[in-house]
């Protein structure tokens, strides 16, 4: 006995369902393929891994509704969606930062070794560079990130930020000049960074004031981020003597076990401080000419969740 074939309208429904399933599979595959790239774009624009993850969720929801037959370059299309979602969130973040308690620092990431191997990527996500990018207006930051870090063409960037290519060129020029005036003066090798951090760690652990002064630049700046949850300096502390005495004095008062461990944070050597075995602070540094010119201490526990598992970044 032969099975009765489905009515034409039912057959059409089956074909449509199969096509829809294939399209959904294609959308998922493209998103998964470029996920690390999209996370990196969002993180570099926002300085917050948690917000970058939210942007990826929003990107997926929009991407899942796109007719893939109309998409010529899936990577570029996904970057465009991510950029627009990140720009929307960046403006919201700006309002949030206005009421933030104390200094706002980027959310540190425990990064995989390959991030450090990509020198340009590591430079772009370093704590020092992320703070420089914080001084850019939202659209300037998006243009700078897409052009200087991901090497997108001006036409692609123009579509992402909804500006003309000519306007994007001007914005890129302005952002580049702004960043160049504020970024670290010279490239620093991983070996130099590790040696400076090791000297800093030895001085702190042994209470060696002179050793600390030797590794700190005379005009070093200490920024602390406790988010109003953990105690941290509310304003920048400037000057080697002030910073050294503050750090050593604060540690003397601690009546608990402290351990400092090297870690790879945002593609660069950093220190992780544990108190009684619990993750407490991430200390990143900015180096210029072999001495520490910037110390960035993140204590806000809401910003330390990405220090428990390595994050993969890509360009």
């Amino acid at each position: 006995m032969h099975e009765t074939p489905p009515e034409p309208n039912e057959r059409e429904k089956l074909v449509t369902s199969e096509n829809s399933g294939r399209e959904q599979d294609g959308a998922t595959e493209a998103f998964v393929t470029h996920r690390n790239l999209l996370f990196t774009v969002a993180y570099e624009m926002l300085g917050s891994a948690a917000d970058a993850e939210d942007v990826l969720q929003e990107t997926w929801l929009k991407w899942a509704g796109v007719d893939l037959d109309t998409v010529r370059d899936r990577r570029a299309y996904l970057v465009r969606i991510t950029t627009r979602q990140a720009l929307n969130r960046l403006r919201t973040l700006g309002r949030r930062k206005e009421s933030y308690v104390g200094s706002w620092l980027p959310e540190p990431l425990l990064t995989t070794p390959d991030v450090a191997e990509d020198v340009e990527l590591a430079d772009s996500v370093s704590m020092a560079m992320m703070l420089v990018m914080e001084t850019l207006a939202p659209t300037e930051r998006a243009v700078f990130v897409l052009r200087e870090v991901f090497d997108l063409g001006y036409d692609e960037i123009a579509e992402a930020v909804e500006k003309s290519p000519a306007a994007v060129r001007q914005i890129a020029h302005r952002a580049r000049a702004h960043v160049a005036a504020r970024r670290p003066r010279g490239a620093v090798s991983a070996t130099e960074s590790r040696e400076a951090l090791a000297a800093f760690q030895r001085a702190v652990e042994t209470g060696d004031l002179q050793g600390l002064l030797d590794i700190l630049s005379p005009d070093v700046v200490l920024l602390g981020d406790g988010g109003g949850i953990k105690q941290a300096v509310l304003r920048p502390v400037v000057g080697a003597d002030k910073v050294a005495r503050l750090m050593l004095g604060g540690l003397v008062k601690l009546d608990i076990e402290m351990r400092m461990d090297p870690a790879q944070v945002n593609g660069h050597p950093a220190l992780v401080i544990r108190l009684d075995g619990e993750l407490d602070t991430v200390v990143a540094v900015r180096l210029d000419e072999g001495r520490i010119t910037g110390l960035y201490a993140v204590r806000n526990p809401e910003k330390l969740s990405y220090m428990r598992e390595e994050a993969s970044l890509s360009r």
Side-chain angles (χ1 to χ4, degrees):
M1 183 175 178
H2 296 290
E3 223 179 308
T4 306
E7 293 298 318
N9 63 335
E10 291 178 1
R11 188 181 295 118
E12 287 168 10
K13 287 179 185 176
L14 285 172
V15 171
T16 302
S17 175
E18 286 172 7
N19 289 341
S20 175
R22 279 196 294 271
E23 186 153 306
Q24 189 68 13
D25 288 345
T28 302
E29 182 184 357
F31 186 83
V32 170
T33 298
H34 299 299
R35 191 188 187 286
N36 289 346
L37 162 71
L38 302 178
F39 176 82
T40 308
V41 170
Y43 174 71
E44 291 212 22
M45 284 182 61
L46 300 170
S48 163
D51 283 294
E53 289 287 0
D54 288 344
V55 162
L56 257 59
Q57 292 291 328
E58 294 159 5
T59 298
W60 166 250
L61 291 174
K62 290 195 173 292
W63 174 243
V66 171
D67 178 1
L68 295 188
D69 290 338
T70 66
V71 178
R72 181 177 54 83
D73 184 336
R74 295 182 180 185
R75 178 183 183 273
Y77 200 102
L78 279 163
V79 168
R80 186 158 74 239
I81 297 174
T82 300
T83 300
R84 289 179 182 173
Q85 298 306 310
L87 271 172
N88 292 338
R89 190 162 288 255
L90 191 56
R91 293 176 181 119
T92 303
L93 271 179
R95 291 192 291 273
R96 242 194 276 164
K97 288 172 192 171
E98 289 172 7
S99 58
Y100 197 79
V101 178
S103 300
W104 186 95
L105 290 174
E107 192 170 345
L109 298 178
L110 187 65
T111 45
T112 52
D114 59 309
V115 175
E117 291 164 11
D118 184 337
V119 176
E120 288 184 13
L121 177 60
D123 177 61
S124 70
V125 295
S126 69
M127 195 70 76
M129 188 60 170
M130 296 284 280
L131 280 170
V132 171
M133 288 196 286
E134 280 293 313
T135 63
L136 295 171
T139 303
E140 285 180 331
R141 186 165 182 170
V143 169
F144 181 85
V145 166
L146 295 179
R147 181 64 185 169
E148 299 300 313
V149 182
F150 298 97
D151 199 28
L152 264 63
Y154 289 113
D155 289 345
E156 283 182 278
I157 300 171
E159 287 188 40
V161 300
E162 298 177 291
K163 301 276 186 186
S164 71
V168 165
R169 284 179 184 274
Q170 288 183 330
I171 293 168
H173 177 75
R174 190 166 63 241
R176 208 160 30 237
H178 182 96
V179 169
R182 291 162 178 79
R183 72 191 307 166
R185 287 184 284 277
V188 178
S189 70
T191 301
E192 286 178 284
S193 294
R194 281 193 294 270
E195 287 175 354
L197 273 169
F200 174 84
Q201 182 179 350
R202 278 195 306 273
V204 170
E205 288 178 337
T206 60
D208 180 2
L209 177 61
Q210 188 55 52
L212 203 47
L213 291 172
D214 289 342
I215 194 61
L216 297 177
S217 171
D219 57 354
V220 63
V221 178
L222 165 66
L223 298 177
D225 182 342
I229 301 170
K230 288 285 190 80
Q231 186 177 0
V233 292
L234 295 177
R235 288 177 294 278
V237 178
V238 182
D241 191 65
K242 285 183 181 178
V243 170
R245 292 182 188 281
L246 177 68
M247 296 208 67
L248 295 182
L251 293 173
V252 167
K253 295 174 185 174
L254 291 177
D255 191 25
I256 50 180
E257 180 195 354
M258 182 198 78
R259 197 177 87 217
M260 301 178 85
D261 297 309
Q264 197 75 8
V265 176
N266 289 50
H268 292 269
L271 290 172
V272 173
I273 298 176
R274 288 181 171 81
L275 300 181
D276 278 347
E278 294 294 320
L279 176 62
D280 181 83
T281 308
V282 172
V283 179
V285 299
R286 168 174 169 158
L287 284 179
D288 283 293
E289 298 174 357
R291 301 182 88 178
I292 296 173
T293 57
L295 275 166
Y296 314 116
V298 182
R299 295 199 72 204
N300 184 348
E302 293 177 357
K303 290 187 174 184
L304 298 180
S305 58
Y306 284 80
M307 287 299 300
R308 303 181 196 283
E309 188 176 326
E310 289 183 339
S312 295
L313 303 176
S314 69
R315 291 197 291 160

